[in-house]
Each structure stands twice: as C-alpha cells, then as structure tokens.
C-alpha cells in the first residue's frame, strides 16, 4: 500500500493577494512548451509560465460565472469571504504536488484512482461516525482493488468541501409553490420554505469549519494506526457482516493477513509507515467561486497559487465552458484538477479544454471524468480518446458511472446498480479496444446502510427506497453495493494486468508487474 501522511503538512503558504507577483528581475522568461513533462516534475507549470500573465486568483470575475448563488446582500458576502481568507488553509501545496505525482501513475496504468463519497455533504448529517464509516469503506475498496488488481490505489474522498451542487433549473416547484432550488448546505437549506432557500453567505464559514474538523479526523485515522494493514480484518461495517459482499471481503482480508504474517516472518518491520499509515486526499467540485478564491493562497516555495480548499478540484459538466469563470480559475491554480464530460462533449473541444487546463501537458495535472451512461459511452468515448491520443495529451481517464444513470422511481430519484455496473464495464471495454488506460472510478457512495440505489447484492428493490433514503441530493451506493463494485473493478484490473503481461512475454520483453 502506498503510504504517507494524510494531506496537511506541506510547504508554507502566504496570505492571498489579488495579483500574482512577478519574479525578482521583474521579467518573465518564455519557456518552450514540452510535449510531455518529466514524470518527476512536481509542479504543473512554473510561476513565470506564459499562460499565467493574465491570471490572478480573482481574474475569474471578468468572465461569466454560471451556477453562482444570488446573494441578497453582497456586503455580507465580502465579510464572510474576508473571514475565511484570514483562516489557515485547509490543505497545503506540498500535499497537492505529492498527489500530482501519484495521479501521473494513474495515467500510465501504474496506479488507479478510487474517488468516492457523498453527493453533497450536509450540516445536519455531520458526525465522526459517518466520516469514519466512509473512510473505512474506502479503505476496504482500496484493499480489494490492490490485492485483486495488483496496482496501488490513490484514495480521494468526496468530502471536506463537497457542499455545493449545480442545478438544472434555478427554481423548484411543489404543487402551486415555486421556490429557489436547493444548491447545497454551503448556500441554502434543503427545507422547502422561502426562508431556507435564501442564500446565506455565512454558511460559507460554517462549511469551512466543518471541512477543517473533517480533515482533522481524517488525519488521525490515516496516520494514527487505524488504517494499518494489520487491521484489515477489522474494517468491516457491522451491518455487512452477513452479506455476500461482507463475507467476500472477510475472505480476502484473511488472505491479506496471511500475506502480512509471511512478510513479517521475512523481516518486514510491522511498525514502519508503510504498514501503519495510509495516504488519503480530499476533493470536491470547484463550483462556488467566492469560497474558492477566499482559500486561494500563494506557495512560498514555488510561487504558484493553490486552491487550498481541497487537494483535487474538478470542473463540472455544466461549468466547463472555455470562456467562462470556472475554467479561468482552474487554469491558474497548481492543484491537480479534473473536468467532467458527457456525451455532449465534442472531441476538438475536449482537446482545446485540456490544452487550456494543462498547457504544459504535465502528467498528473488533469483527469478527464466521463459520465455518459453505458450505451452513449461505447459510442462517444472512443472518439474522445482518439482525439486526445492524436494531440499527444496526457490525462488520467476516470469513469463516473453515477450521473448518466439517474432516473425517478415512485417519486424518488434513484439509480440502478446494473446500469452503473454496465457503464463501468463499457469504460474498461472501450479502453481495451483503444489501447488506452482506464485510470480510475468516481462514485457517489456512503458507508451508511441506505436504500437509495436499486439492485446489486444489497437487493434493494423499488419498494425499499422509502425505508432509508437519506441523501440531500442524488442517490448514493450503500456500502454493500460499493464493495461489490470494487470487486468487479479489481477483476478488470487483474484481467488487464494479465493481458499486458502476456503481450510483453509474446514480444520477448522482460515483464514488470505493478
């Protein structure tokens, strides 16, 4: 298992400023664009890069900004953001650079991304137990994928910042009453009342505080021994003890224990960091730009600006326009970033978007997260992959099988496990056919025993949706369904690994198995 400290101990950062300062000489030295950056490079670009000349942490304000709340009092917004800007960063630049190095391996098949968590975090559901259960589920899934698939897993939680949600319509109607849509707890409340739906800028401060507390707990779990491989048999969630997925995990965990006992007998230090700690990063959609700007800080080591609200930030399908504010903000920060694309994405547009967000073509800088549904993915993804390959661009391809499979059943927004599984299967099949690399999976899931998605080994039926439907927004896989998905992904990773090994053997080359 790849290990290190959970994100928060990197290079020092300075307070935010409105403009990026020039170098000591006052000049900017133009550098040739690399076709592919060196894998060991820890930054996506240098602070004097040409594309940063007209960028600043607030230059996004010069562009149309979609999906932003209509605050009734802009002075209160400024006060709340100024307070957040005075707070410590939630993550640090050094951690983001380490994550970039990990993600670079996901673009080449030497590692795999597991990104998962709540559709939207909620103030009312915030508890140590829920954070622990999600962390534990991600650990379970990563062990299944590593042991079964034979590759390191980069663990990204959708938490400590995943509060805002884009909406397809600005207004929501129930009966004869029409109110502004719920946009996530960081903006307004889910209750269908006129008071709750008014955007409140001081929710920004509450979201920051909850994120800080979440990260503090995650640090303790990741580095305090809870995530140690010697505890792999103790990670099972209680309500899964008698499920098929729980039993399959227990069997695998016992095999891991046997392997650890063998390694210990061979002299492995069981108290070393590799056995006692794990690496865990946090991520969220870069949606609410006032909040992101307030947490954008300049790194004193590299001179780059980092979005210190999370390690990995992504741009959504609804906000990825080349000439709009979200792309403008993301193109200048030093974090590893992602962009979500649907079947509506034109191949030439994707190439242009990648060039804008990753101008130096640095491995680990950019993940393309596809969300299409299985049928459209088989039709559209090959064209996107071919365009990116022909352009010589390096990205990590990630499958989001959730957002293209949402439907309404009995008045509940839900997803069918079989459709989710079918999209993941299509994702791996297409990459096999195109000779490209399936780099990761992005799931909306929870460690809670919920009934929000239909099917899977959990046997959730349509009539069960009302029993434990707790999400504030979109339906999530429960722990059994998520673990079942992990076993399937592990099987596909193993198949890919074995196929590549056979091809190399057939070519008379030395085989290196990761």
């Amino acid at each position: 298992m790849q290990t290190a400290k959970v994100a928060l101990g990197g290079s020092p950062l300075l307070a935010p400023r409105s403009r990026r300062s020039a170098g000591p000489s006052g000049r900017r030295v133009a550098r040739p664009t690399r076709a592919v950056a060196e894998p060991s490079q820890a930054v996506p670009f240098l602070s004097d890069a040409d594309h940063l000349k007209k960028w600043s942490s607030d230059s996004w304000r010069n562009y149309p900004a979609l999906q932003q709340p209509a605050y009734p009092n802009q002075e209160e917004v400024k006060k709340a953001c100024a307070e957040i800007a005075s707070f410590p960063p939630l993550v640090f630049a050094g951690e983001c650079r380490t994550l970039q190095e990990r993600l670079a391996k996901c673009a080449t098949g030497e590692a795999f991304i597991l990104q998962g968590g709540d559709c939207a975090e909620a103030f009312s559901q915030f508890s140590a137990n829920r954070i622990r259960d999600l962390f534990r589920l991600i650990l379970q899934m990563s062990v299944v994928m590593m042991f079964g698939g034979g590759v390191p897993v980069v663990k990204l939680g959708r938490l400590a910042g995943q509060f805002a949600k884009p909406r397809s319509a600005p207004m929501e109607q129930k009966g004869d009453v029409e109110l502004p849509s719920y946009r996530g707890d960081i903006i307004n409340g889910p209750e269908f009342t006129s008071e709750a739906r008014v955007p409140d800028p001081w929710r920004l401060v509450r979201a920051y505080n909850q994120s800080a507390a979440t990260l503090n707990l995650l640090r303790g779990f990741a580095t305090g021994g809870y995530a140690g491989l010697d505890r792999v048999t103790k990670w099972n969630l209680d309500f899964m003890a008698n499920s098929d997925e729980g039993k399959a995990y227990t069997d695998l965990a016992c095999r891991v224990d046997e392997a650890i006992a063998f390694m210990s007998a061979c002299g492995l230090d069981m108290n070393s960091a590799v056995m006692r700690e794990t690496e865990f990063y946090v991520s969220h959609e870069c949606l609410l730009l006032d909040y992101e700007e307030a947490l954008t800080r300049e790194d004193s080591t590299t001179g780059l600006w980092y979005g210190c609200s999370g390690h990995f930030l992504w741009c959504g399908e609804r906000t990825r326009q080349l000439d709009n504010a979200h792309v403008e903000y993301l193109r200048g920060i030093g974090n590893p970033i992602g962009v979500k694309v649907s079947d509506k994405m034109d191949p030439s547009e994707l190439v242009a978007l990648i060039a804008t967000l990753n101008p130096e073509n640095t491995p680990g800088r950019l993940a393309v997260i596809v969300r299409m549904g299985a049928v459209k993915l088989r039709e559209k993804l090959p064209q996107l992959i071919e365009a990116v390959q022909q352009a010589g661009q390096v990205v990590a391809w990630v499958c989001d099988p959730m957002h293209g499979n949402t439907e309404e059943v009995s008045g509940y927004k839900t997803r069918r496990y079989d459709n989710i599984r079918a999209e993941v299967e299509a994702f791996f099949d297409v990459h096999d056919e195109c000779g490209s690399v399936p780099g990761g999976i992005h799931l909306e899931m929870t460690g809670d025993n919920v009934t929000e998605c239909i099917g899977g080994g959990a046997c959730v039926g349509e009539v069960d949706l009302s029993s434990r439907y707790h999400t504030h927004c979109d339906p999530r896989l429960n722990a059994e369904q998520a673990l079942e998905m992990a076993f399937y992904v592990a099987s596909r990773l193993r198949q890919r690994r074995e196929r590549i090994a056979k091809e190399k053997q057939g070519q008379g080359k030395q085989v290196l198995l990761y």
Side-chain angles (χ1 to χ4, degrees), residues 480-498:
E480 291 178 59
Q481 293 164 331
L483 196 56
E484 184 176 353
M485 183 61 67
F487 277 104
Y488 176 71
V489 170
S491 72
R492 293 303 301 255
L493 291 174
R494 178 176 288 279
Q495 290 172 21
R496 181 176 184 276
R497 178 170 172 254
E498 292 173 349

Side-chain angles (χ1 to χ4, degrees), residues 405-450:
N405 293 298
T406 305
E407 59 183 274
E408 186 169 312
V409 175
S410 303
Y412 290 92
K413 188 189 293 187
T414 188
R415 292 156 175 159
R416 298 181 187 273
Y417 180 85
D418 288 346
N419 293 338
I420 296 169
R421 157 74 183 266
E423 183 164 354
V424 176
E425 182 177 5
F427 177 75
F428 277 95
D429 288 348
V430 168
H431 281 288
D432 286 347
E433 295 162 4
C434 294
S436 48
V437 176
I441 188 168
H442 182 131
L443 301 172
E444 289 186 343
M445 64 188 198
T446 176
D448 295 344
N449 187 19
V450 300

